[in-house]
Amino acid sequence: MALRHHGSLTVLLLLGLAVACTATDFDFFYLVLQWPGSYCDTEAGCCFPGNEKPAADFGIHGLWPNYAACRPDAVTPNKTSCWPDFCNATDTLNPSLIRDLEGDLRRSWGTLSCKRKNSADFWSHEWSRHGTCSGMGQRAYFRAALELKARLDLTGALRDAGITPLDEAEYCLGSVRDAVAAAAGGAAPMVECNRSARNETQLYQVYVCVGRDGRALVHCPPPAQRGCTDMVRFPPF
């Protein structure tokens, strides 16, 4: 049907944007786990809220909805989006809804950024940008990430494969990926590396694919690595 008024066109466009930003409009989650030693061993360094150093364990960076293939952005012309974000700006984090999880969150999902005053700011950002797109309630979203992290136990899986945090050791990237895949039920992970203050390639983040239910570990098409070389360091923390 032909449109007669610019006002009608505007309404239809806005409705289209609303549909494009539906909270459940994604294909899978990335559970992103971060090695704190590699975050801190950079020129920027790191900070610990309250001067409480976290345990030497992979921490949660986020549980991020993603598309299986990037698509045209609903808002910005000539741009593609590989994930939905900020799906509901009015749904801000209510700390009372996750208060019973706070101890586990501080241990497993704390911030290392010197730009953030406390971990609650980090959780608020992750909920606003990614959680509002998840189709879950606030408590369910954070609980799902905590349970997935505990089930995977990446630090233990790497240790069992002989990959332990050492100053001088280098490890084959393929061995790292194999160890993570074994912990994830065979699903191939994406491994991201960064550069140390000495310009060395080091294991930084691991991306594991999770189904839209926030529980099942699934196969998805991640690239094999981001910023890595064949051999990577795994710095102590």
Side-chain angles (χ1 to χ4, degrees), residues 15 22 25 27 29 50 52 58 88 106 120 132 134 153 158 161 164 180 187 200 214 224:
L15 287 172
T22 298
D25 180 27
D27 298 304
F29 288 102
E52 295 180 3
F58 277 88
N88 185 354
R106 290 190 183 281
T132 59
S134 69
D153 184 20
L158 291 173
T164 56
V180 177
E200 299 162 337

Side-chain angles (χ1 to χ4, degrees), residues 143-195:
R143 183 177 177 85
L146 289 169
E147 291 180 345
L148 286 163
K149 188 256 185 187
R151 187 178 2 146
L152 284 164
D153 184 20
L154 289 192
T155 305
L158 291 173
R159 182 179 60 246
D160 291 346
I163 301 169
T164 56
L166 295 170
D167 278 318
E168 300 302 326
E170 286 188 308
Y171 298 99
C172 174
L173 180 65
S175 298
V176 172
R177 296 186 71 243
D178 289 347
V180 177
M190 183 177 82
V191 178
E192 180 181 0
C193 297
N194 66 358
R195 309 293 286 189

Side-chain angles (χ1 to χ4, degrees), residues 16-37:
L17 292 180
V19 170
C21 294
T22 298
T24 56
D25 180 27
F26 65 96
D27 298 304
F28 60 89
F29 288 102
Y30 276 138
L31 175 69
V32 186
L33 300 173
Q34 183 180 88
W35 178 247

Side-chain angles (χ1 to χ4, degrees), residues 4-87:
R4 296 179 181 274
H5 302 291
H6 291 297
S8 299
L9 177 59
T10 300
V11 169
L12 288 175
L13 286 173
L14 289 173
L15 287 172
L17 292 180
V19 170
C21 294
T22 298
T24 56
D25 180 27
F26 65 96
D27 298 304
F28 60 89
F29 288 102
Y30 276 138
L31 175 69
V32 186
L33 300 173
Q34 183 180 88
W35 178 247
S38 298
Y39 187 103
C40 294
D41 189 16
T42 62
E43 290 186 358
C46 62
C47 296
F48 314 131
N51 293 320
E52 295 180 3
K53 184 178 179 179
D57 189 13
F58 277 88
I60 300 169
H61 186 172
L63 184 62
W64 302 344
N66 269 259
Y67 303 133
C70 299
R71 58 184 67 179
D73 188 83
V75 178
T76 307
N78 303 318
K79 178 184 174 183
T80 57
S81 293
C82 300
W83 55 83
D85 59 3
F86 297 108
C87 289

